[in-house]
Amino acid sequence: AADKATYLRTVQDWIVTPQLKSSAGLAGVDSLGGYTKQYLVVPDIQRMAAMKITLHDLATALERNNTSAGAGVVNRNGEGLAVRADGRVRNADELARTVIATRESVPILLSQIGTVRTGQALRMGSASENGHEVVVGTAVMRIGENSRTVSTGVGERLKEIGRALPVDVVVKPVLNRTELVNSTIATVARNLAEGALLVIVVLFALLGNFRAALIAALVIPITMLLTSVGMLRAGVSANLMSLGALDFGLIVDGAVIIVENALRRLGDAQHGRAEPLPLRQRLDLVAASAREMIRPSVYGQAIIILVYAPLLTFTGVEGKMFEPMALTVIVALVFAFILSMTFVPAAIAIWLSRP
């Protein structure tokens, strides 16, 4: 069992991990399970003492005899050939033939003062699947990378690596973050769509004017578009925490009061008239009604923004979780207020010839 675990860990460390690191956006691969293969040297203290060799001499000789060195480049016929001296030990037999010291011009090999065998390093943990020991690798993403893109690339790269592995080794994803990300995106999209649809239905039912309700409802998609642009420029990720905090009722709140007041003013002016109001008069009336609602609209939006503002001061894990949510809500409310003071009054004056 130990030999199998060592074999799997060796495949993981020397075949899978180096190839997996070439995936875009990947910082590294953490491995757990199995045994890290090592060559163990068991010195014979009595023989070393007889030959006047210390443990420091032994360690220094082993280190110096297990190195690779570059020797520059040789130019020949327009080609540059890299020259290097590869002195690394490849197996236990080569390690046993390492020269540790010389006595009277006679080399003393490692096999003369100790034994060499294959062993395992002390491991800090293990992994198993269905009662069988396995090796688990965790792909670590770089800071600031797109988790969906990175996990998709790692999954594709893992399939390529699996086709080149020995037949007795199987590599497969245990936890694919792409599925979690896709599920989260689907949840956010469904919640946003259902929330927007519910608000639109309520607007149509309460305002009693199809075109007026449509104008107020248009604030939702336009605000979402502008908020997405703001999030992109600010580097805020669109996830369940940030987008899930959006309340479409708050977004259309300012637009609704502008629409209601404008309809009231237009209705009073239209009362007793057979022909529609001229465009200039409608623009003046709607502008006056919007000015009446500026103060309550500003106060209402400002109170909500002040509630979320303290979240921007969070640091650490709390800041990572709640700062995107607060920033998204604040940006959405600011854009919604701007639309309620610009787009909504203009649309009412132009599209509603009769209230």
Side-chain angles (χ1 to χ4, degrees), residues 63 146 290 300:
E63 182 178 355
N146 188 302

Side-chain angles (χ1 to χ4, degrees), residues 7 11 14 107 140 183-184 246 248 272-273 282 284 287 297 339 350:
Y7 172 67
V11 172
W14 296 97
V140 182
S183 177
T184 303
L246 291 178
F248 293 123
R273 295 172 59 104
R282 295 201 306 270
D284 294 338
S297 180
L339 289 174
I350 295 174

Side-chain angles (χ1 to χ4, degrees), residues 24-28 138-151 177:
L26 204 62
T138 303
V140 182
M141 184 182 67
R142 294 176 184 170
I143 297 177
E145 295 289 342
N146 188 302
S147 59
R148 185 183 186 188
T149 303
V150 173
S151 58
R177 193 171 180 178

Side-chain angles (χ1 to χ4, degrees), residues 39-61:
Y39 293 119
L40 305 180
V41 177
V42 183
D44 189 327
I45 302 300
Q46 294 181 352
R47 291 186 179 182
M48 291 178 60
M51 298 181 182
K52 298 181 180 180
I53 298 176
T54 64
L55 291 176
H56 180 268
D57 296 336
L58 176 61
T60 302

